Amino acid sequence: MSYITMENLLKAEFFNPSTAVKKTMMSTVISAILLNATNTQLTKPVNFTIKHIREFVSGNSLFCVYWKNTEWIVDGCSVLETNSNYTVCSCVHLSTFALIMQTSSSPPEDDQRMNLLNVVAVIVGLVFTSLALLTFAFCRWKPGVNNVPRINLCISLLSAHLLFLLTQQFLKHIKTHQVLCGVLSGFLHFLFLSCFVWMFIEAVLLYICVKNLLQISFGQRAVLSSRFLIVIGYGIVLVIVCISVGLVPGGYGSDKCWLKEEKGFIWSFLGPVCFILALNTILFISMIITLNSTLTKLNAEVSRIKQTRILVFKTLAQFVVLGCPWILSFFTKHSKMMEILFVILNSQQGTFIFLIHCVLNNEIRRQYVKWMRALFQNHPK
Ligand SMILES: *[C@@H]1O[C@H](CO)[C@@H](O)[C@H](O)[C@H]1NC(C)=O
């Protein structure tokens, strides 16, 4: 007896439920019984040939299983022979059977090493993000530098990576509470999107500043709009998250407590990200063109233009650093090298921001030296 579409209910996930590797149904669910038989003990194992319902991916393993109470188990069943279209199973009893393909998992040592690399990289990134945040908050910057986007970018990065690290470390415990897992993935969605929105706002402010380079003293503007900026920045992200929840209510809480990839829900993150990356690219190209033409036209105030130009290039570098990892993330499934590169680049975004805006800034470097001196004078040996 073959139960059509039953494989969608008695899913492959009911096989070895504790292991995280991917499992796929390779056959429909079938039952075999002997009518009018009083003796259920078989003298010989029963052999049956099962037709595959999807392509067998070589390198994976096949299991003949039978349904017992609440799960698929192997006990007493085995694969006799197999080719690309059929598999012969042998079982010592009659029951409800299926054929399951299990993706061969990477060796556990490999996973552990990857996890360690991830933890170390994220912690290093968090330390430098905090340093950058402290610098932005407490250093005296020239008037005209609007720190609000940068500070919020750092806050978003810091909370996003911290929450991500904690979620991944306690994944086993969190996954038992489906609601918590969904809520956490919602927060992660919000925080990672915030990073991009703040990066975009920073580029827009810079764009306005470049356009107004000769007319308006942009110091006043910056002070005026801080609170407004914060409402706008987080408001946009909140709207995106709300729309995502409204359109696909069950989209949060995948098996890694992130966005589910089914039904294209992942695009509620990747969509806005691609959109912002595209807009930013246009903004930067237009800024560089404007700056170059202004530089050639005018000799007055050249130093201020040059400073702005440096700022544009720094922000451009920051944009590349923040945008790249997510583009890489499209390829991580296919190669180990890409995965390692993604882990490193993604966790070091704060470090790059610290390098670009703090270490490579003469004034801030001077300020650091001053702080160091003050520190050592206050604590003599
Ligand atoms: C099923 O195949 C096995 C191995 O080839 C064999 O020993 C067994 O007798 C077969 N069962 C039947 C009922 O033919």
Side-chain angles (χ1 to χ4, degrees):
M1 223 165 13
S2 172
Y3 306 94
I4 293 163
T5 70
M6 181 65 106
E7 68 273 13
N8 298 331
L9 291 174
L10 304 183
K11 290 180 197 150
E13 278 78 31
F14 290 116
F15 176 56
N16 276 344
S18 55
T19 55
V21 294
K22 194 164 185 285
K23 286 152 263 178
T24 319
M25 276 299 208
M26 287 298 288
S27 71
T28 55
V29 176
I30 56 166
S31 276
I33 48 169
L34 281 173
L35 295 171
N36 306 326
T38 45
N39 188 3
T40 51
Q41 211 64 36
L42 299 174
T43 50
K44 272 184 186 176
V46 56
N47 303 334
F48 45 93
T49 305
I50 295 181
K51 188 171 190 255
H52 297 172
I53 53 170
R54 44 177 63 89
E55 204 183 334
F56 174 66
V57 183
S58 60
N60 296 332
S61 28
L62 278 177
F63 294 91
C64 295
V65 292
Y66 76 97
W67 184 257
K68 188 177 183 192
N69 300 331
T70 56
E71 59 177 345
W72 290 115
I73 55 175
V74 171
D75 291 2
C77 289
S78 60
V79 177
L80 273 190
E81 53 183 309
T82 180
N83 66 22
S84 56
N85 295 322
Y86 293 93
T87 295
V88 182
C89 287
S90 173
C91 279
V92 294
H93 49 70
L94 292 176
S95 168
T96 300
F97 304 102
L99 186 66
I100 289 177
M101 175 172 71
Q102 186 169 288
T103 321
S104 31
S105 58
S106 47
E109 287 164 43
D110 227 37
D111 275 359
Q112 260 173 16
R113 245 181 274 153
M114 205 61 199
N115 189 33
L116 187 70
L117 173 73
N118 196 14
V119 171
V120 171
V122 171
I123 288 176
V124 170
L126 287 177
V127 168
F128 281 109
T129 316
S130 314
L131 283 179
L133 185 60
L134 287 177
T135 309
F136 294 143
F138 294 112
C139 259
R140 249 191 271 132
W141 295 74
K142 269 184 297 225
V145 176
N146 190 337
N147 262 341
V148 173
R150 257 182 236 165
I151 289 180
N152 283 292
L153 174 58
C154 284
I155 292 176
S156 307
L157 268 180
L158 202 63
S159 6
H161 283 297
L162 191 63
L163 187 62
F164 189 70
L165 183 68
L166 291 178
T167 312
Q168 296 310 308
Q169 291 311 304
F170 298 105
L171 197 59
K172 260 190 213 148
H173 306 286
I174 294 171
K175 256 168 66 180
T176 51
H177 309 281
Q178 195 52 43
V179 176
L180 179 67
C181 180
V183 170
L184 281 176
S185 72
F187 270 111
L188 284 173
H189 186 206
F190 179 87
L191 290 171
F192 277 114
L193 269 183
S194 299
C195 301
F196 282 91
V197 168
W198 283 111
M199 184 171 75
F200 176 62
I201 291 179
E202 188 172 8
V204 170
L205 289 188
L206 198 61
Y207 178 79
I208 296 173
C209 156
V210 167
K211 284 285 173 198
N212 294 343
L213 205 52
L214 306 165
Q215 294 122 30
I216 297 168
S217 111
F218 40 89
Q220 288 165 344
R221 271 176 163 265
V223 179
L224 264 179
S225 49
S226 289
R227 203 168 290 168
F228 176 67
L229 276 182
I230 291 180
V231 173
I232 287 279
Y234 291 113
I236 294 176
V237 186
L238 202 61
V239 167
I240 298 178
V241 173
C242 287
I243 291 177
S244 310
V245 174
L247 286 183
V248 188
Y252 289 106
S254 68
D255 53 351
K256 287 197 167 159
C257 291
W258 175 235
L259 308 181
K260 287 184 186 160
E261 299 203 7
E262 300 113 59
K263 297 187 214 153
F265 190 67
I266 190 76
W267 285 99
S268 65
F269 175 68
L270 291 181
V273 165
C274 289
F275 184 65
I276 288 176
L277 291 183
L279 278 185
N280 263 16
T281 311
I282 296 171
L283 281 180
F284 279 113
I285 291 174
S286 132
M287 273 190 268
I288 290 167
I289 292 174
T290 313
L291 279 172
N292 275 342
S293 63
T294 336
L295 256 186
T296 46
K297 258 188 262 161
L298 280 162
N299 283 322
E301 286 199 277
V302 160
S303 83
R304 196 166 114 196
I305 297 175
K306 274 190 177 152
Q307 268 176 8
T308 313
R309 193 151 80 147
I310 291 173
L311 198 59
V312 169
F313 278 109
K314 283 186 176 178
T315 317
L316 179 64
Q318 176 188 311
F319 161 63
V320 172
V321 163
L322 284 172
C324 265
W326 293 104
I327 293 171
L328 268 186
S329 78
F330 285 104
F331 307 103
T332 48
K333 274 190 197 127
H334 308 299
S335 109
K336 196 86 197 161
M337 203 56 221
M338 281 292 189
E339 206 181 325
I340 292 175
L341 207 61
F342 173 75
V343 165
I344 292 176
L345 282 183
N346 189 36
S347 57
Q348 299 313 307
Q349 290 168 339
T351 313
F352 285 118
I353 292 181
F354 178 70
L355 271 181
I356 293 167
H357 289 299
C358 305
V359 176
L360 293 180
N361 184 320
N362 288 334
E363 268 176 273
I364 300 302
R365 262 208 317 260
R366 249 172 264 146
Q367 186 100 43
Y368 282 154
V369 173
K370 244 186 253 169
W371 282 349
M372 288 297 215
R373 280 213 195 108
L375 202 69
F376 286 117
Q377 272 160 16
N378 287 345
H379 304 281
K381 280 185 185 165

